[in-house]
Amino acid sequence: MQATATPTIEQKSKFKAPVRVPVYPEILTGEREARRIVAVCRHYSALPLEKLTALQLGASTGIMTEVFARHFKKVIAVDKDISSLQLSKKISRHLNIEYICAEGTNLTVDDNAADVLICDRYLEQTRDHRVMMNEIYRVLKYEGFCYFGATSKYTVIERNYFLPFLSWLPKAAAELYLKLAGHKGAYDPEIPSLGKLNKLTSDFWRHDYTRIIRRNPAEFFSEDIAKPGGFFAGLTLRFFKHFYPFLPTWVWVLTKRK
């Protein structure tokens, strides 16, 4: 099945919305996360990344996209916010980036378009998780792979507002908690449990990099989440499994089941 014609940034410019330019700490964090993703992709891939096309979900203002463009042959940067994509295109130093304004649940690209698909904690930003996973399966080549970073629903400190146990609560209770903590607005993340993630990714083989990264943080630019020789690095696999559901994030490489 071929996707519908892809709207260009220029064609969708009438949907402009205010966009906040990222500040320096966000740039540093985004670049570090992008280097971690590249390290995982390079560790897993049998082919040089420089020969592969990567599709990035949730490209936003392009902090991570710029890093990817230095390592992949081509990057397809996808985001639903046209203003963010316009800013990314304006400040980009690379010519190997294609910008597409689309939802993760309706990717306007052809079947089998990507050698590598990067989905880093993007699933929680969509309402229909199953549809999005079907889209990932559709656009990923059979010999390709997906870098899949997922946020844990049952982590102690929620990563968006840094409030204890916020993601554990039902939506109404979470929004009341936010209000009492001085935050305005709705609680939008739709964070699935580990059990649901296992079901959502059942069409893929899962290659778990979570423990590998925590045991080798320097190799994967992850000293910010795991200190070399730290607590998790020294755990045996038997004990690591007990902590696994409560880790802040998991990193998997997904490949299509044949």
Side-chain angles (χ1 to χ4, degrees):
M1 180 182 69
Q2 297 295 310
T4 56
T6 302
T8 64
I9 292 180
E10 289 74 17
Q11 289 171 333
K12 301 199 75 170
S13 60
K14 63 181 180 179
F15 298 108
K16 285 183 179 180
V19 62
R20 182 174 61 85
V21 177
V23 296
Y24 188 61
E26 293 174 321
I27 294 174
L28 291 180
T29 301
E31 290 181 344
R32 182 175 57 228
E33 181 68 24
R35 289 196 295 270
R36 174 161 48 238
I37 293 171
V38 169
V40 170
C41 291
R42 200 174 291 282
H43 185 273
Y44 180 83
S45 180
L47 296 174
L49 300 187
E50 290 76 12
K51 295 183 178 181
L52 305 180
T53 295
L55 187 151
Q56 178 194 6
L57 295 177
S60 188
T61 53
I63 296 172
M64 297 170 68
T65 310
E66 290 294 292
V67 177
F68 299 147
R70 297 199 296 265
H71 295 275
F72 289 95
K73 179 181 179 180
K74 178 183 177 181
V75 178
I76 303 172
V78 178
D79 200 277
K80 63 182 178 181
D81 185 351
I82 185 64
S83 297
S84 294
L85 289 177
Q86 288 174 327
L87 176 61
S88 177
K89 184 176 183 179
K90 182 177 181 180
I91 66 177
S92 177
R93 300 179 180 179
H94 299 278
L95 300 177
N96 61 335
I97 305 174
E98 178 184 355
Y99 300 90
I100 295 179
C101 186
E103 296 274 357
T105 52
N106 185 25
L107 298 172
T108 52
V109 297
D110 293 339
D111 296 359
N112 307 312
D115 300 296
V116 180
L117 195 145
I118 299 169
C119 179
D120 184 39
R121 293 177 293 193
Y122 184 76
L123 186 69
E124 65 193 66
Q125 300 180 35
T126 63
R127 297 292 181 185
D128 198 326
H129 296 156
R130 170 49 63 188
V131 172
M132 181 178 146
M133 294 308 302
N134 290 343
E135 279 291 86
I136 290 176
Y137 191 94
R138 179 182 69 81
V139 304
L140 185 64
K141 293 181 180 180
Y142 274 102
E143 66 274 18
F145 63 91
C146 171
Y147 174 99
F148 188 80
T151 299
S152 171
K153 180 178 180 65
Y154 296 112
T155 188
V156 175
I157 303 297
E158 198 269 355
R159 65 178 291 267
N160 295 291
Y161 294 94
F162 304 102
L163 293 174
F165 305 109
L166 175 63
S167 55
W168 297 45
L169 302 175
K171 184 176 177 62
E175 292 182 349
L176 176 60
Y177 185 7
L178 283 178
K179 184 177 180 180
L180 294 174
H183 297 280
K184 296 181 179 179
Y187 183 64
D188 294 326
E190 296 282 341
I191 305 175
S193 65
L194 181 58
K196 186 176 180 180
L197 278 176
N198 287 332
K199 292 179 181 179
L200 287 169
T201 57
S202 60
D203 291 334
F204 300 86
W205 297 110
R206 292 187 294 269
H207 312 271
D208 198 339
Y209 267 76
T210 309
R211 185 166 181 258
I212 297 174
I213 290 172
R214 288 184 173 274
R215 290 180 67 89
N216 305 277
E219 180 179 351
F220 294 99
F221 302 95
S222 299
E223 294 92 338
D224 59 316
I225 61 174
K227 295 181 180 179
F231 176 73
F232 287 104
L235 284 180
T236 64
L237 180 59
R238 177 183 176 184
F239 287 101
F240 185 79
K241 289 180 178 179
H242 294 293
F243 290 95
Y244 192 84
F246 305 101
L247 295 175
T249 57
W250 306 297
V251 175
W252 301 340
V253 171
L254 305 179
T255 54
K256 285 183 172 182
R257 291 180 181 266
K258 301 296 188 282

